[in-house]
């Protein structure tokens, strides 16, 4: 499971668009996003890498909060 915090969680419509976009990646089995921007992605690592998930998040216009 990959867990990320989004800097710009956006509206429920934008979060739904992000979920739909991540669901298109091969190997992604589940995507969960709350209104505070906590994102959890369950995936099969034989189909997709965490780097691919992060890249897709950025492509869809979201920013990932840097961990301190």
């Amino acid at each position: 499971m990959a867990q990320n915090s989004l800097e710009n969680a956006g509206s429920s419509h934008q979060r739904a668009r992000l979920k739909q976009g991540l669901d298109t990646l091969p190997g992604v089995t589940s995507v969960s996003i709350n209104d505070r921007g906590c994102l959890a992605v369950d995936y099969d690592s034989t189909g997709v890498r965490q780097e691919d998930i992060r890249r897709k998040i950025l492509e869809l216009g979201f920013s990932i909060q840097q961990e301190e």
Side-chain angles (χ1 to χ4, degrees):
M1 175 187 295
Q3 293 185 332
N4 295 287
S5 293
L6 303 174
E7 288 184 3
N8 54 341
S11 67
S12 60
H13 176 74
Q14 290 170 313
R15 290 190 301 273
R17 184 175 58 84
L18 175 59
K19 181 182 181 326
Q20 289 173 344
L22 291 173
D23 281 336
T24 66
L25 292 173
V28 169
T29 57
S30 168
V31 178
S32 170
I33 311 166
N34 71 19
D35 58 350
R36 292 185 313 254
C38 295
L39 170 68
V41 181
D42 287 320
Y43 64 97
D44 176 355
S45 61
T46 62
V48 68
R49 299 171 302 161
Q50 191 166 356
E51 176 183 321
D52 300 324
I53 294 168
R54 291 170 91 68
R55 185 177 314 120
K56 186 69 169 180
I57 292 168
L58 297 174
E59 283 176 8
L60 290 167
F62 291 82
S63 299
I64 300 168
Q65 204 168 55
Q66 298 297 319
E67 295 182 25
E68 298 178 14

